[in-house]
Amino acid sequence: MFKNLQEMQNYSEKNGIKMVDFMMIDLNGRWRHLTMPVERVNKDSMKYGFGFDGSNYGFAPVEKSDMVFLPDLSTAHVDSFSEIPTLAMIGDVYVIEQPENRRFDQDPRNVAFMAEEYMKGTGIADEMRIGPEFEFNVFDQVSYSIKPNSSKFKVDVYQADWNTGVETEKNLGYKMPVKGGYHQAPPMDTMAAFRSRVSMMMENEGIGVKYHHHEVAGAGQMEIEVEFGGMREMADKTMLSKYIIKNAAIAEGKSVTFMPKPLYNEAGNGMHVHMHLFKKGKPLFYDENGYAQLSELALHFMGGILHHACSLCAFTNPSSNSYKRLVPGYEAPFLKNPTLSASHSSHSRVFLLMYI
């Protein structure tokens, strides 16, 4: 949004901005934030950063926990959910050192930065464009309890098939069938207007929305697909998209989850990621005469993902719930054996690639 501090200060004065919110990602992939009056942001703070306790983010031991956050002014946006006019911005984590602070190499955003620089250094490509698809469930009620002697959870979605026989409140039918929600129209799709409102909020924050629709799972599963962008750019926009979607839902008395398999016997939430490599604006995965019009580089790219699939799962499928989604019968990839081997069908291989 801004190229320099002066632009930010001018915008803030003109638009009545009172606070600045700094957004950071911890090692669990969740956003943390630190808020301060806009007047506290000056040349020195933009040069030396803002101190915080890195131990609570999982970044450092308690006895050596002081770190600094350096905001990226280009990511600034007005937070739609703040009562007080607030500019929010993402940034990078630095380790305090002399004579100059250095990037913290385990900060997810810095990992993305170093990956992009490595890609350029190889000479293979100078740009990677990413297009993620966001799948999530919208619930009308969520309750759970974890105690030493018991555990339980219960979710509800008014449009879900399990509510066809409800008589304690007004029930007009039009419930979404199990595994039958894909591209369904209103009145069965009760979330269409919500998705449009969320999509417009995302557009206002510079996140181009390709389309949205109801997904396969009848119990409130949605999808919003966004336009392509650079790798680090889309990583930022992915975090911002989740922030917008979740808070927009809360504002409307609903709750959103992106967890892979929130409901038994229903389709789970994948995060399909389209990837392209470019060099000097030229697409490197296209070859008019190649197999399926794919270049040799594209085939090696796919082979590399398959070769490192087990390691990648630490990031793409980090929880036990991830593997509850990867079972037969749900349009998701699954493996016949626990390790990659020649016995896996080509069908499984293709879907593994698509869903990583």
Side-chain angles (χ1 to χ4, degrees):
M1 188 174 186
F2 306 119
K3 295 179 181 179
N4 53 57
L5 177 62
Q6 189 62 54
E7 283 188 6
M8 190 209 82
Q9 291 173 332
N10 291 342
Y11 179 91
S12 299
E13 184 177 353
K14 182 178 179 180
N15 293 275
I17 299 297
K18 302 298 183 183
M19 306 294 288
V20 177
D21 202 29
F22 299 129
M23 313 295 287
M24 291 170 278
I25 305 169
D26 64 19
L27 286 183
N28 291 320
R30 298 183 182 277
W31 252 358
R32 308 286 187 108
H33 74 138
L34 172 70
T35 313
M36 64 183 60
V38 67
E39 292 81 13
R40 301 294 182 273
V41 183
N42 52 46
K43 289 182 179 180
D44 285 343
S45 60
M46 288 301 301
K47 179 179 179 180
Y48 300 109
F50 300 88
F52 71 99
D53 180 0
S55 65
N56 281 291
Y57 287 61
F59 289 162
V62 175
E63 67 273 13
K64 195 178 180 182
S65 61
D66 290 338
M67 305 183 85
V68 293
F69 168 82
L70 201 63
D72 183 345
L73 291 173
S74 67
T75 68
H77 60 278
V78 178
D79 191 327
S80 303
F81 305 100
S82 293
E83 179 182 349
I84 305 300
T86 301
L87 268 181
M89 59 187 74
I90 308 169
D92 302 306
V93 176
Y94 281 73
V95 175
I96 300 174
E97 284 191 354
Q98 294 293 335
E100 290 186 358
N101 298 336
R102 61 173 173 84
R103 287 179 177 271
F104 177 53
D105 56 9
Q106 296 176 54
D107 171 29
R109 199 167 189 265
N110 284 333
V111 171
F113 170 78
M114 290 185 288
E116 286 184 311
E117 292 302 303
Y118 176 80
M119 175 188 67
K120 295 173 184 177
T122 65
I124 295 173
D126 55 26
E127 182 183 11
M128 185 180 205
R129 298 181 191 173
I130 299 289
E133 302 178 15
F134 303 123
E135 293 181 358
F136 53 93
N137 284 80
V138 182
F139 295 136
D140 294 300
Q141 181 71 30
V142 178
S143 63
Y144 60 92
S145 175
I146 302 174
K147 299 179 180 179
N149 63 323
S150 66
S151 63
K152 65 178 181 178
F153 80 93
K154 184 177 182 180
V155 297
D156 197 14
V157 186
Y158 300 148
Q159 70 171 41
D161 181 75
W162 60 67
N163 281 320
T164 54
V166 171
E167 297 179 355
T168 56
E169 57 188 69
K170 193 172 184 179
N171 191 342
L172 301 178
Y174 293 107
K175 303 304 181 186
M176 197 75 77
V178 175
K179 299 184 186 179
Y182 190 70
H183 284 196
Q184 287 280 11
M188 294 179 71
D189 178 11
T190 61
M191 308 285 186
F194 168 77
R195 294 194 306 272
S196 288
R197 288 191 290 273
V198 168
S199 295
M200 292 309 300
M201 295 177 72
M202 292 168 66
E203 286 276 347
N204 290 338
E205 303 297 354
I207 305 170
V209 174
K210 188 180 294 184
Y211 53 69
H212 69 73
H213 59 83
H214 200 288
E215 254 298 343
V216 172
Q221 188 185 34
M222 313 292 149
E223 178 177 309
I224 299 177
E225 184 169 340
V226 299
E227 298 288 356
F228 283 79
M231 184 177 70
R232 188 166 42 149
E233 172 194 356
M234 295 314 297
D236 287 343
K237 288 182 176 180
T238 293
M239 295 301 296
L240 181 55
S241 294
K242 291 174 68 176
Y243 179 80
I244 291 172
I245 293 167
K246 286 183 175 183
N247 281 281
I250 289 292
E252 297 191 20
K254 300 181 183 297
S255 183
V256 160
T257 181
F258 289 82
M259 71 183 298
K261 190 76 169 181
L263 296 170
Y264 173 74
N265 201 36
E266 271 287 19
N269 296 312
M271 182 179 174
H272 311 156
V273 180
H274 305 267
M275 295 175 284
H276 294 259
L277 290 182
F278 289 79
K279 190 172 185 178
K280 297 181 179 179
K282 179 183 177 181
L284 300 180
F285 286 170
Y286 175 72
D287 182 350
E288 183 179 1
N289 301 314
Y291 172 75
Q293 296 186 317
L294 291 171
S295 68
E296 184 177 355
L297 178 65
L299 297 176
H300 282 289
F301 186 91
M302 289 187 284
I305 290 177
L306 290 171
H307 179 75
H308 294 287
C310 291
S311 298
L312 288 169
C313 282
F315 303 98
T316 61
N317 305 284
S319 70
S320 59
N321 185 259
S322 301
Y323 298 93
K324 293 179 179 180
R325 186 181 75 86
L326 304 179
V327 293
Y330 294 90
E331 300 183 27
F334 67 93
L335 300 178
K336 293 181 179 178
N337 297 307
T339 58
L340 289 172
S341 70
S343 64
H344 299 142
S345 68
S346 60
H347 181 78
S348 295
R349 287 176 181 270
V350 171
F351 271 86
L352 177 64
L353 171 64
M354 290 175 62
Y355 279 70
I356 283 179

